[in-house]
Amino acid sequence: MTTTLDRLTEKAGAPTFGQDALIVCDSLVRIYQSEGIEVQALQGLDLLVDEGELVAIVGASGSGKSTLLAVLSGLDVPTAGRVRVGPWDLMAMTPAQRVAYRRQMVGFVWQQTARNLVPYLTATENVALPLALSGRSRRERTARATTLLELLGVGYCADRRPGQLSGGEQQRVAIGVALANEPRVVFADEPTGELDTATSDEVLETLRLVNRELGTTVVVVTHDPGVSEHVQRTVAIRDGRTSSEVVRRTHTRDDGTEHVVAEEFAMLDRAGRVQLPQEYREALELSGRVRLALEASHVSVWPDRPRVEPRPDDARPGETVVSTEQEGSR
Ligand code: ADP
Ligand code: MG
């Protein structure tokens, strides 16, 4: 299986970036102008998501997570770059296509529960609403809403209005609303932001169930670093770029027992840039000029610091140690 990392590090001349992925963000830039000040919310962000994946996006406040989801959900248009979801090129949609995209291809769950649900409708009516907009019969609407609420574990809430539901129940009903039109992707922007840890885990588990049972691709933004416990892949965004990923894999030991290994990767962008974690930079006082060396299986990064006693066998990469006497005798 080709992983995202393989594809990102693919050599030039390979097929189009993200050709097989369901979601492709290629060097996305989004610049906001406010009162003459330019804010670069996305600064060349690359991201690939395969069909059927459940991906969490984490990052500090202001790192560009909501901007990314607004772009992916068709609410906002990036300043530059390329963004595709399935067959839809989000940079080149007419207003009518945008409506169709938002209605058929994707579903959303927002942080503010009030934005997800209509307060005077019951849970069933809320889930049935998007189905009415796409012209399904009343019977079909109620049947689908009932099935979805059952699947999401909130069947008992069917006849209650949002005000009669707990925060966690509201968000699970909201997931039902997002799923009503059988979208291929669900985007959730901090759906657990207003919930306590236990309830937040419950909502994340519900998104996992949706991904597993319905095969829906799920992209969930959260500021909760513990989310990587729940999902296979966690992408970290920093300053409007994807900076690292945590991938969880299940390994089988020799005795047949399974254990989960979480591995952190840095992301190499398409221009070949990689962000070194701050701890690494601090530990070796790496800043400004560094030395790079290509080894048989990896690349080393060295600080550029004057050495005390240069010795030929101490040569650092990219450097040939030649003593002045040798040089003079040549
Ligand atoms: P996050 O969701 O990760 O907290 P956002 O995507 O909301 O981050 O914001 C990224 C950056 O863009 C922030 O610096 C924010 O202040 C700025 N920003 C977001 N929306 C706007 C806007 N409509 N106008 C101006 N600046 C904005
Ligand atoms: Mg946000």
Side-chain angles (χ1 to χ4, degrees), residues 302-322:
W302 307 61
D304 175 29
R305 234 176 277 133
R307 288 162 306 148
V308 187
E309 290 244 338
R311 281 179 302 138
D313 58 359
D314 210 22
R316 281 175 293 183
E319 178 187 60
T320 318
V321 174
V322 183

Side-chain angles (χ1 to χ4, degrees), residues 62 65-67 111 189-190 221:
K65 306 179 301 293
S66 292
T67 304
Q111 175 175 355
D189 193 357
E190 309 214 20
V221 164

Side-chain angles (χ1 to χ4, degrees), residues 1 4 22 25-26 34 60 62 82 92 100 121-122 126 159-160 181 218 236 239 248 280 283 307 330:
M1 195 186 86
T4 305
L22 179 67
C25 296
D26 180 354
S34 67
R82 197 167 64 92
L121 297 181
T122 64
N126 264 288
D159 299 323
R160 298 195 208 160
N181 280 316
V218 178
D239 303 328
R248 283 162 64 87
Y280 291 19
R307 288 162 306 148
R330 267 181 202 163

